Amino acid sequence: MVILLGGSFLEVSAQSTYQTPPKAIADLVNAPSTPSVRWSKNGDWMLLMERSDNPTIEQLSQPELKIAGMRINPATSGPSRQIGVENIKIKKTQSGEEIQITGLPAQPNMGGMSMSHDEKYMTFTQTDSDGVSLWLVDLTTFSAKKLTDKIINDVYGNPIAWTPDNKLLVKAVNPTRGEIPKRPSAPAGPIIQETTGDAAPSRTYQDLLENSYDEALFAYFMDSQLMEVDLEGNKKPIGPSGMIKSMDLSPDGNYILVDLIKKPFSYLVPASRFPYDVEIWTIDGKKVKVLAEIPLDENRPTGFDATVTGPRNINWRADKPAMLYWVEAQDGGDARVEMEEREIVYTLAAPFAGSKQKLATTPYRFGGIIWSDDSFAIMGERWSRTRMDKRSIINPANPAQPKQVIIERSSDDLYNDPGDPVMVENEFGEYVMLRKGDLVYMTSPGGSPEGDMPYLSTFNTKTKEETILWRSQAPYYERVAKVLNDDATEFITIKESTDIQPNYWLVNTRKRIAPQQLTYFENPYESIKGIQKQLVTYERNDGLNLSAVIYTPEGFEPGKDAPLPVLMWAYPREYKSKEVAAQVRGSQYAFTRVSSGSPLFWVTRGYAIMDRTEMPIVGEGDKEPNDYFIDQLVANAEAAIDEIVDLGIGDRDRIAVGGHSYGAFMTANLLSHTNLFAAGIARSGAYNRTLTPFGFQYEQRTYWEAPEVYFNMSPFSFAHKVETPILLLHGQADNNSGTFPIQSERYYNALKGHGATARLVFLPNESHGYAAKESINHMLWEMDNWLEKYVKEKNVVDRAK
């Protein structure tokens, strides 16, 4: 049932069945999906994975447990709402031959594809209505077979890992866990929480544990047993059972890093922050060491630069057979504490009997390590408050050698982003960077005033100079998907343009031969192939450069044809620099792909679409962006409207604004503080910031630190000022932090109480993004009706008044 509230659509206010949008929209949303691709190590073949369509509302309405921040299908011991792969093929790169994998499940719902180190085999999981089984594909015969019964525990983390000798380490349901706990007929007593003075600020989370029965269910579904499975399906238990959070095999296959959740559980934070032990086992399941005992993470300081105390980011070094590395905060996790050695990175090598060794330090937060060999690695550092992104060369064999900073930039700065290293597999099957001495091969999104023009380069870590080896050229949007040789002269790209479906190409810059097209995926959106697309730039009233992508119907000519009704779609973002905020984002040459949440459907209905409309909010220096949120948001909208009107494309009196999540929050704010728009569409938003008092989006201050910001940024506070018709849509099972369905319910009631024109649509069983075919079609029907009545027909309505 679809719940429709509001008096603006009197003729359908009692409607309780799903509706379908006009055919032009329905044809686009039902277009077939393009297969996803995975390449072999040397690129001589690719795996083609064809995904199934969106589930039906009946499939989406199957039983679902919402516990500890997770959503579990209790019948399968796996995730709920899973949309799997329905077919697998192999395609040879040079010949183009496609080979169908035979022996696949009769009703395929496949996922978790994983290759053996020698690429002779591949496994996948198959989810049926009553469990998850493991299947094996022989890549020499291209045939699949069922390897295990429905034993896989897929509720948390990766359940499958290949060993170097072509066996599998599997996280299985504990065979002795018994029957699912039964809900008690009556509670044993009250539910009590108590605090003893330690501050425990926490952002709003969904689906948390609520009572002792939830705790029992969580422990039951997390109960797992590691097993070794050979290629014939023979199973052998490895180590003791427990609430296994994750397992990670060492590169040499001799050790297992195991995270085991333990009590006490929490009713304030999700499972990812429950206490757990980090243990090192041998491949036979013998416990070698308890590396760390991680406490319950309820008392973390506020701010994005805050973190936990004790070891975190515990991982195997990719360039060593069995060496762990991790980081430990020295400031108690509190970013307000000033320290030169805020974080220390440690290592510990097999057999793990010695003391941890200091590898590196940083005055900022640790941002990970990209490994090469024992003399060369790149360590990342970050600081969210200032958007700092720093990368340095370290010498793992000589930790006393000072680190060498090679990149220091704002993480928002697209124009000066040299990209990330090209990764290749080493002898352990682990990913390390491709480099020659001081030269590191990099791929960059290639941000520029003309939009993204991706490139492949070498970055000299001594001189900090980059040499571009290849770059995407207009009118195409092309980026490197896989480098095939050691000097990056041969590689595979994904190439597309506004009306040419993305496809894979083989490029060889040494031989200087014409690129070879490898795939021929067809354009699923032929009906809009002729629409016009342009990237426009314009200025805000304070001189800040803005941009947007405008789509118009095929054949439309500005100045000759009458201005069109407009749907403006946007998502605001916060910046610490005006120069960075003014940068152009995205590519005008990217393929016009229509996702279910896209505004592009309405170009088929005679609208101009102003998509990716930049809505930057800037707070430089010690100023926070949100101190200026409303003023800058309004200025952004005014500039965008002026641009599309001045271009002769849009009719100033017939412009709608819309967005999803934070874009919905933006929409409600614009309608609260302006009368610029004819209508608004807000999907899955949050409208009362006092319901997210410990921060939201990029706001790090709490409600008690900045109450005026929380009040002024809440559309709920200004519901009495809304004079523009607004359509609110929300999934009744929204799992996103902060966007509880009650946000839309309370906001609608506030609008109704002040006589606004509003309509609230709750979509049953839908999460933050909508999945069921019926829900998506109904959402589009609602939006189309709203736009037709309040935007396209606005002049008729005004004359009637």
Side-chain angles (χ1 to χ4, degrees):
M1 177 179 290
V2 182
I3 302 172
L4 310 179
L5 302 173
S8 56
F9 275 22
L10 293 178
E11 68 275 14
V12 293
S13 60
Q15 177 66 50
S16 61
T17 58
Y18 290 99
Q19 299 296 303
T20 302
K23 185 177 184 302
I25 293 177
D27 287 347
L28 288 176
V29 78
N30 294 324
S33 59
T34 302
S36 54
V37 173
R38 178 170 173 176
W39 291 94
S40 64
K41 289 180 183 180
N42 61 12
D44 59 346
W45 56 268
M46 68 189 85
L47 187 69
L48 299 179
M49 294 169 283
E50 299 172 359
R51 294 208 166 266
S52 49
D53 295 331
N54 289 86
T56 65
I57 191 64
E58 182 178 0
Q59 292 171 310
L60 201 69
S61 301
Q62 296 301 307
E64 180 181 57
L65 284 179
K66 304 171 184 177
I67 51 173
M70 304 186 301
R71 294 196 167 181
I72 298 170
N73 184 333
T76 66
S77 290
S80 61
R81 304 167 179 270
Q82 183 173 348
I83 302 175
V85 171
E86 64 179 7
N87 193 27
I88 306 172
K89 296 178 181 178
I90 298 292
K91 184 180 177 74
K92 298 297 182 72
T93 300
Q94 291 296 337
S95 68
E97 178 189 8
E98 285 192 9
I99 304 170
Q100 173 65 53
I101 301 296
T102 61
L104 295 175
Q107 295 180 311
N109 184 13
M110 302 176 286
M113 283 67 181
S114 178
M115 298 286 180
S116 63
H117 293 189
D118 60 10
E119 292 190 330
K120 291 181 180 179
Y121 302 96
M122 181 184 78
T123 56
F124 62 83
T125 57
Q126 162 67 13
T127 301
D128 293 310
S129 61
D130 57 347
V132 183
S133 56
L134 183 64
W135 288 60
L136 179 75
V137 178
D138 186 327
L139 293 172
T140 61
T141 63
F142 307 107
S143 59
K145 69 175 183 179
K146 187 177 180 180
L147 198 59
T148 71
D149 293 328
K150 298 163 188 176
I151 65 169
I152 304 300
N153 190 330
D154 198 18
V155 299
Y156 199 114
N158 179 25
I160 311 293
W162 280 96
T163 67
D165 58 348
N166 280 356
K167 293 180 181 178
L168 291 145
L169 187 64
V170 170
K171 185 170 66 170
V173 170
N174 182 2
T176 64
R177 74 177 182 179
E179 296 295 321
I180 186 171
K182 290 182 170 57
R183 182 182 295 276
S185 58
I191 299 168
I192 299 171
Q193 297 186 57
E194 182 177 2
T195 180
T196 56
D198 292 329
S202 180
R203 290 201 164 200
T204 51
Y205 294 105
Q206 309 271 38
D207 306 333
L208 300 179
L209 298 180
E210 295 182 355
N211 50 51
S212 58
Y213 178 60
D214 282 353
E215 292 191 52
L217 286 173
F218 174 76
Y220 176 82
F221 282 103
M222 287 297 298
D223 193 5
S224 304
Q225 172 69 59
L226 292 188
M227 291 188 179
E228 179 189 272
V229 180
D230 66 20
L231 298 181
E232 298 304 317
N234 300 306
K235 302 185 292 292
K236 180 179 75 174
I238 301 293
S241 62
M243 291 185 286
I244 300 176
K245 180 180 181 181
S246 67
M247 54 92 174
D248 189 15
L249 201 61
S250 63
D252 65 4
N254 291 329
Y255 298 93
I256 314 169
L257 186 68
V258 183
D259 291 351
L260 290 156
I261 290 179
K262 59 186 181 181
K263 292 186 175 182
F265 303 149
S266 171
Y267 293 9
L268 294 179
V269 294
S272 60
R273 296 173 67 169
F274 288 3
Y276 63 98
D277 289 343
V278 182
E279 298 183 354
I280 305 170
W281 298 357
T282 66
I283 190 59
D284 295 322
K286 180 182 177 182
K287 186 191 298 185
V288 175
K289 185 182 185 68
V290 177
L291 184 69
E293 296 179 345
I294 308 299
L296 175 63
D297 181 15
E298 278 187 349
N299 300 329
R300 189 181 300 189
T302 58
F304 295 124
D305 293 310
T307 191
V308 296
T309 57
R312 72 177 199 277
N313 290 38
I314 305 172
N315 290 289
W316 297 106
R317 272 184 61 168
D319 63 326
K320 288 287 187 181
M323 179 181 285
L324 290 168
Y325 71 100
W326 68 90
V327 64
E328 295 182 22
Q330 307 300 301
D331 57 5
D334 192 342
R336 293 168 294 188
V337 176
E338 296 293 335
M339 298 189 72
E340 285 191 18
E341 290 192 352
R342 184 180 297 278
E343 308 250 88
I344 300 178
V345 183
Y346 294 102
T347 61
L348 183 64
F352 313 108
S355 300
K356 62 185 180 183
Q357 300 298 307
K358 188 175 181 178
L359 175 65
T361 67
T362 168
Y364 304 106
R365 287 290 175 233
F366 175 69
I369 294 177
I370 303 173
W371 300 97
S372 177
D373 55 38
D374 210 28
S375 66
F376 193 101
I378 297 178
M379 184 179 75
E381 305 166 58
R382 59 175 178 79
W383 200 246
S384 293
R385 180 174 290 276
T386 60
R387 312 296 199 271
M388 187 212 71
D389 171 25
K390 181 185 287 189
R391 282 173 270 181
S392 305
I393 301 298
I394 59 172
N395 185 341
N398 183 12
Q401 181 177 320
K403 62 186 179 184
Q404 174 196 351
V405 178
I406 57 171
I407 298 168
E408 188 167 9
R409 54 181 282 273
S410 166
S411 57
D412 292 331
D413 184 359
L414 299 181
Y415 292 3
N416 293 292
D417 181 6
D420 296 302
V422 172
M423 306 300 287
V424 294
E425 287 191 45
N426 63 8
E427 66 273 23
F428 302 118
E430 302 290 331
Y431 283 97
V432 295
M433 71 183 83
L434 177 63
R435 60 176 268 263
K436 285 186 178 180
D438 296 327
L439 296 180
V440 175
Y441 291 88
M442 309 272 279
T443 55
S444 170
S448 74
E450 289 73 43
D452 289 353
M453 303 295 286
Y455 61 82
L456 172 68
S457 69
T458 56
F459 186 90
N460 189 313
T461 56
K462 288 289 187 185
T463 64
K464 303 180 185 179
E465 295 177 349
E466 59 180 350
T467 301
I468 295 179
L469 306 176
W470 170 93
R471 186 164 197 157
S472 178
Q473 299 294 319
Y476 298 101
Y477 176 57
E478 190 173 9
R479 61 264 188 217
V480 173
K482 183 175 181 62
V483 173
L484 300 178
N485 58 4
D486 291 343
D487 59 2
T489 57
E490 187 172 44
F491 46 91
I492 294 167
T493 68
I494 308 174
K495 184 178 181 181
E496 62 191 89
S497 69
T498 55
D499 59 356
I500 297 177
Q501 162 82 11
N503 272 291
Y504 290 86
W505 292 70
L506 179 63
V507 178
N508 191 308
T509 57
R510 174 184 291 169
K511 295 181 180 179
R512 300 189 181 279
I513 57 177
Q516 175 188 348
Q517 187 169 349
L518 302 178
T519 61
Y520 294 85
F521 302 135
E522 295 181 356
N523 184 347
Y525 313 116
E526 285 292 333
S527 63
I528 60 169
K529 191 171 182 178
I531 68 170
Q532 301 165 95
K533 175 181 179 181
Q534 60 177 314
L535 173 69
V536 297
T537 57
Y538 48 95
E539 283 191 0
R540 200 165 73 179
N541 58 13
D542 59 357
L544 186 71
N545 288 327
L546 303 175
S547 64
V549 177
I550 296 176
Y551 299 85
T552 52
E554 182 176 4
F556 174 78
E557 295 185 30
K560 180 179 178 182
D561 296 325
L564 301 171
V566 178
L567 174 56
M568 182 187 299
W569 206 256
Y571 191 95
R573 301 185 188 277
E574 298 86 344
Y575 299 93
K576 293 296 293 180
S577 160
K578 287 183 178 178
E579 289 74 23
V580 170
Q583 292 180 354
V584 175
R585 286 166 172 78
S587 171
Q588 62 182 315
Y589 305 119
F591 177 63
T592 305
R593 186 170 295 283
V594 186
S595 65
S596 61
S598 170
L600 296 184
F601 296 102
W602 284 275
V603 78
T604 69
R605 302 279 284 159
Y607 292 78
I609 308 301
M610 199 169 194
D611 195 18
R612 301 208 309 267
T613 311
E614 291 294 332
M615 295 280 176
I617 311 297
V618 185
E620 297 188 299
D622 295 332
K623 302 296 184 180
E624 291 298 322
N626 284 340
D627 293 337
Y628 309 99
F629 184 85
I630 299 301
D631 289 344
Q632 293 192 26
L633 185 66
V634 172
N636 293 331
E638 290 174 337
I641 291 172
D642 287 344
E643 175 66 11
I644 200 165
V645 171
D646 291 346
L647 289 171
I649 294 173
D651 179 345
R652 187 180 294 275
D653 295 326
R654 295 191 296 161
I655 300 178
V657 64
H660 189 91
S661 194
Y662 208 56
F665 170 74
M666 169 208 73
T667 297
N669 264 305
L670 284 171
L671 302 195
S672 297
H673 298 284
T674 76
N675 288 312
L676 295 170
F677 298 97
I681 298 173
R683 296 194 318 229
S684 299
Y687 309 105
N688 184 346
R689 284 305 169 192
T690 66
L691 298 178
T692 56
F694 287 105
F696 58 91
Q697 202 71 3
Y698 289 103
E699 179 54 63
Q700 301 189 68
R701 296 166 295 184
T702 69
Y703 166 78
W704 297 273
E705 292 172 315
E708 69 288 346
V709 171
Y710 279 70
F711 179 86
N712 290 330
M713 287 184 67
S714 295
F716 183 85
S717 304
F718 301 95
H720 61 294
K721 290 188 174 184
V722 176
E723 298 176 357
T724 304
I726 182 170
L727 172 64
L728 304 169
L729 299 111
H730 214 122
Q732 263 193 320
D734 194 326
N735 66 339
N736 186 55
S737 177
T739 55
F740 300 97
I742 198 173
Q743 289 272 8
S744 286
E745 181 183 337
R746 294 288 172 84
Y747 184 50
Y748 170 78
N749 286 335
L751 292 168
K752 182 179 179 181
H754 289 93
T757 299
R759 180 175 174 85
L760 172 59
V761 181
F762 275 129
L763 298 170
N765 300 318
E766 291 292 353
S767 188
H768 192 60
Y770 317 141
K773 297 176 184 178
E774 294 89 341
S775 300
I776 292 169
N777 277 303
H778 190 89
M779 171 196 73
L780 297 172
W781 178 82
E782 290 281 356
M783 292 175 63
D784 188 69
N785 274 277
W786 201 255
L787 291 169
E788 291 291 291
K789 180 170 184 177
Y790 292 109
V791 182
K792 185 180 283 186
E793 300 175 10
K794 183 176 187 299
N795 292 340
V796 176
V797 173
D798 290 345
R799 285 195 298 272
K801 291 180 180 179

